[in-house]
């Protein structure tokens, strides 16, 4: 009896388990092997991946946390597949200029059947920002009905000297492709093209081209406003040429577009014609969900998540390889999730429940996480926090952690405290213009008010310092991110992933043994959403 009574106290004081770099590496090796076929949702690699994750969670001593006592949550999707090649051409100043699909332009549609544009006038909207609170509306006075809306990537501050209305270099949500496309669709645009520049897009054209024609996915039932019939990227060189032919100066217009007085301009008399056909098929993918039931307050939840999917089988690269193994993105995060689950399974049971979620279809637009957040298996109002594992680089032992999208929640102070236990400094991410906070699964929770934290092993490496860390990250983003070459390397040192996992594990463990409800900072748009349900958290 005495022993039973003292267990909770002992458990809180027990030292945390150690996250193993070697075990993470072994999982990464398995998950990114060709046998898993790049873990494409609804492709042949899915079943094997789901089976592996469920088996690992079971071995960690967790219980199924999915639907009907299973390890899974069905995620109903629609797959949009291109039928035959697309064609795109521009007519400008009396000349017809065909645009090479994949070379100068990409075109996608989520409308089933054949979509044809016939000489739709082209309009340049600058950065396409809608921010009434800042007195900014790039759409004001623009008639986009049936027209092609052409945007710059990113937000107006990125290349502006000094801080601007949009918080300086860091990307605001309105600067994302999806936000501009939605605003243009609402205004009746027939097509949306964003000019690709590597820095604000945060990935090279080669990656855009690599995805051209690949199937896209959406959640079922289709909700929200209809998208523009066609959307795509326009290569910068093609944009510069188009503007020149139309008698406009692309670079000069870019500078003008940084000012809130900028208004949409017709791209001379340029019109765009395009044709493509899409087949829409209902399909089902799955999130994997494991649960560790809390001992004291099981109805309160802490979530650890990582997307299990990668880009699967697709077009062959120059060497004929068709599998984008996703070893870093995101076998590494998935492996770390499994190791954290194992650490919890071995240790004393926490007071709050923990959910471990392997999300599907992150690469298709955070679809698995969106579906979970819209159909949660534990109430979001009493989900204390979400920790996301999506590391994007393999590095050795680091002296720092990179915080993604800092300045949003008091979980960041917890991060600093736990990191310092391990001799790690917390630094702001290096490329805030890439908008990483909006680009992984935790965002689906943030928009519904659940405090969410994302961080990665940092750039300051024990061996080689920041120069080595910067070089590793830049090389990964330029050469391997989302490509066939994101494959397992036996020489990898996963010490950085283990550090990241250790900190995430201890953060979650502390929170799961506390009564604290993390908060959003003042002025963060998700704060009022969370506060609306404050009465449910005591
Ligand atoms: Zn990822």
């Amino acid at each position: 009896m005495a022993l039973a009574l003292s267990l909770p106290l002992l458990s809180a004081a027990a030292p945390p388990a150690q996250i193993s770099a070697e075990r993470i590496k072994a999982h990464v090796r398995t998950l990114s092997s060709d046998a898993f076929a790049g873990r494409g949702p609804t492709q042949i690699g899915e079943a094997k991946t789901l089976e592996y994750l469920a088996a690992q969670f079971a071995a960690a001593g967790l219980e199924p946390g999915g639907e009907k006592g299973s390890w899974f949550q069905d995620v109903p999707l629609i797959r949009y597949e291109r039928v035959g090649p697309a064609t795109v051409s521009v007519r400008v100043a009396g000349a017809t200029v065909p645009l090479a699909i994949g070379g100068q332009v990409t075109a996608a549609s989520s409308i089933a059947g054949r979509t044809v544009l016939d000489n739709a006038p082209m309009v340049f909207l600058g950065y396409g920002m809608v921010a009434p609170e800042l007195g900014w509306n790039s759409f004001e006075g623009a008639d986009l009905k049936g027209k092609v809306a052409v945007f710059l990537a990113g937000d107006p501050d990125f290349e502006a000297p000094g801080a601007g209305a949009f918080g300086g270099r860091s990307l605001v949500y309105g600067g994302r492709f999806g936000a501009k496309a939605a605003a243009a669709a609402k205004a009746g645009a027939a097509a949306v093209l964003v000019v690709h520049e590597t820095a604000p897009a945060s990935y090279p054209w080669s990656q855009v081209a690599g995805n051209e024609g690949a199937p896209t996915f959406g959640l079922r039932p289709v909700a929200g406003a209809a998208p523009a019939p066609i959307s795509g990227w326009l290569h910068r060189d093609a944009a510069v040429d188009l503007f020149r032919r139309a008698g406009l100066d692309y670079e000069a217009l870019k500078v003008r577009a940084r000012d809130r007085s900028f208004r949409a301009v017709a791209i001379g008399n340029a019109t765009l014609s395009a044709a493509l056909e899409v087949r829409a098929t209902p399909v089902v993918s799955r999130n994997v969900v494991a649960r560790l039931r809390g001992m004291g307050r099981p109805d309160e939840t802490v979530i650890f998540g990582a997307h299990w999917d990668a880009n699967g089988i697709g077009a062959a690269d120059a060497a004929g390889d068709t599998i984008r193994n996703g070893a870093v993105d995101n076998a590494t995060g998935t492996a770390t999730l499994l190791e954290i689950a194992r650490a919890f399974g071995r240790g004393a049971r926490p007071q709050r429940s923990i959910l471990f979620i392997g999300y599907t279809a992150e690469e298709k637009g955070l679809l698995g996480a969106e579906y979970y957040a819209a159909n949660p298996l534990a109430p979001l109002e009493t989900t204390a926090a979400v920790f996301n594992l999506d590391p994007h680089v393999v590095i050795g032992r680091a002296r720092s952690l990179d915080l993604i999208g800092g300045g949003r929640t008091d979980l960041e102070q917890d991060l600093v405290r736990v990191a310092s236990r391990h001799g790690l400094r917390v630094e702001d991410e290096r490329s805030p213009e890439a908008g990483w906070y909006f680009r992984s699964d935790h965002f689906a929770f943030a928009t519904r008010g659940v405090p969410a934290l994302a961080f990665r092993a940092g750039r300051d490496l024990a061996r080689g310092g920041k120069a080595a860390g910067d070089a590793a990250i830049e090389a990964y983003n330029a050469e391997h991110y989302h490509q066939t070459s994101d494959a397992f390397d036996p020489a990898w040192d996963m010490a950085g992933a283990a550090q990241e996992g250790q900190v995430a594990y201890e953060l979650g463990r502390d929170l799961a043994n506390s009564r604290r409800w993390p908060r959003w900072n003042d002025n963060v748009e998700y704060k009022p959403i969370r506060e609306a349900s404050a009465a449910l958290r005591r």
Side-chain angles (χ1 to χ4, degrees):
M1 183 63 84
L3 183 65
L5 276 176
S6 61
L7 259 177
L9 289 172
L10 278 176
S11 69
Q18 291 305 302
I19 301 291
S20 153
E22 280 312 306
R23 290 186 63 97
I24 290 175
K25 188 170 175 178
H27 288 309
V28 173
R29 180 195 292 266
T30 302
L31 288 164
S32 65
S33 64
D34 280 357
F36 284 71
R39 305 184 308 285
T42 77
Q43 291 188 340
I44 56 166
E46 170 161 344
K48 213 175 169 74
T49 306
L50 297 179
E51 192 185 316
Y52 184 81
L53 296 184
Q56 292 299 325
F57 284 135
L62 309 187
E63 58 187 49
E67 296 167 328
K68 299 178 196 128
S70 79
W71 294 101
F72 308 111
Q73 178 181 42
D74 282 358
V75 178
L77 301 173
I78 302 188
R79 183 174 58 224
Y80 301 98
E81 285 162 295
R82 177 84 59 74
V83 182
T87 58
V88 179
S89 65
V90 169
R91 190 161 172 78
V92 57
T96 297
V97 184
L99 294 176
I101 295 286
Q104 293 169 300
V105 72
T106 68
S109 180
S110 49
I111 293 175
R114 193 167 166 77
T115 298
V116 176
L117 284 193
D118 187 16
N119 282 310
M122 302 183 79
V123 179
F124 175 63
L125 286 117
Y127 288 92
M129 306 303 293
V130 183
E133 71 282 8
L134 302 172
W136 200 299
N137 183 359
S138 307
F139 291 77
E140 197 176 296
D143 171 19
L144 291 184
K145 245 190 192 71
K147 297 182 180 172
V148 178
V150 178
F151 297 104
L152 298 167
D155 75 40
D157 290 359
F158 172 51
E159 291 183 357
F166 295 96
R169 247 180 105 222
S170 92
L171 184 70
V172 298
Y173 185 71
R176 296 274 289 141
F177 191 123
K180 296 176 193 197
K186 207 173 136 201
V192 176
L193 289 177
V194 177
V195 179
H196 179 272
E197 298 202 31
T198 299
S202 80
Y203 35 77
W205 178 263
S206 59
Q207 197 191 118
V208 172
N211 280 323
E212 216 303 310
T216 60
F217 289 78
L219 282 173
R220 240 182 327 132
V222 177
I230 293 178
S231 66
W233 290 98
L234 181 62
H235 193 289
R236 182 187 174 278
D237 295 347
V240 171
D241 181 60
L242 165 67
F243 279 62
R244 186 185 54 75
R245 287 171 184 265
L248 301 173
D249 180 336
Y250 173 77
E251 285 300 332
L253 275 170
K254 249 183 90 171
V255 173
R256 273 180 51 201
R258 287 182 204 154
D259 196 277
R260 79 185 72 210
S261 67
F262 176 81
R263 291 291 171 270
V265 292
I267 304 177
N269 62 358
T271 60
L272 184 122
S273 294
L276 80 172
E277 187 173 344
V278 164
R279 179 169 46 222
T281 313
V283 289
V284 176
S285 185
R286 287 168 149 190
N287 291 328
V288 186
V289 189
R291 186 163 185 258
L292 185 66
R293 193 181 149 82
M295 206 164 56
R297 295 184 300 286
D299 297 336
E300 300 175 8
T301 305
V302 172
I303 292 180
F304 286 94
H307 69 90
W308 61 254
D309 67 306
N311 283 296
I313 296 172
D317 66 13
D321 188 358
T322 58
I323 301 176
R324 286 174 288 177
N325 304 78
V328 171
D329 185 15
N330 188 26
T332 305
T334 305
T336 306
L337 179 72
L338 294 176
E339 255 307 275
I340 292 174
R342 183 169 168 273
F344 272 106
R346 276 183 299 161
R349 207 166 261 261
Q351 296 297 307
R352 286 169 161 163
S353 294
I354 317 259
L355 278 186
F356 301 89
I357 311 181
Y359 308 105
T360 183
E362 189 267 359
E363 303 290 3
K364 315 300 181 195
L366 320 184
L367 300 181
E370 267 294 323
Y371 186 82
Y372 176 89
N375 304 274
L377 296 163
L380 295 187
E381 295 80 3
T382 50
T383 295
V386 171
F387 298 101
N388 191 38
L389 303 159
D390 196 1
H392 281 216
V393 74
V394 166
I395 49 174
R397 177 156 289 279
R399 297 185 290 220
S400 66
L401 294 172
D402 266 10
L403 172 62
I404 311 297
R408 286 182 164 87
T409 127
D410 61 6
L411 287 166
E412 294 162 23
Q413 280 101 65
D414 298 10
L415 177 65
V416 169
R417 179 172 47 78
V418 174
S420 71
R421 278 183 209 157
H422 297 278
L424 293 162
R425 267 188 339 277
V426 175
E427 295 181 341
D428 283 325
E429 61 186 316
R430 181 68 58 88
S431 303
E433 71 277 9
W436 287 110
Y437 194 80
F438 313 125
R439 292 174 57 179
S440 190
D441 300 298
H442 58 277
F443 185 62
F445 294 86
T447 56
R448 290 170 174 88
V450 185
L453 188 70
F455 62 95
R456 298 171 177 169
R459 294 166 177 260
D460 187 4
L461 303 191
R463 204 174 306 150
K466 288 200 180 185
D470 284 348
I473 290 166
E474 268 143 42
Y476 175 76
N477 282 336
E479 292 159 33
H480 306 302
Y481 178 49
H482 288 175
Q483 304 193 33
T484 49
S485 59
D486 184 359
F488 183 75
D489 179 347
W492 273 345
D493 172 4
M494 307 296 293
Q499 286 176 305
E500 180 186 333
Q502 188 73 37
V503 170
Y505 159 60
E506 292 183 28
L507 268 172
R509 184 176 177 265
D510 288 357
L511 188 58
N513 282 317
S514 85
R515 304 198 74 115
R516 195 166 77 79
W517 296 104
R519 291 169 181 274
W520 295 105
N521 296 347
D522 291 341
N523 303 325
V524 173
E525 62 221 278
Y526 321 124
K527 187 183 172 92
I529 303 170
R530 186 64 164 176
E531 288 188 341
S533 64
L536 298 172
R537 289 182 294 280
R538 286 181 296 259

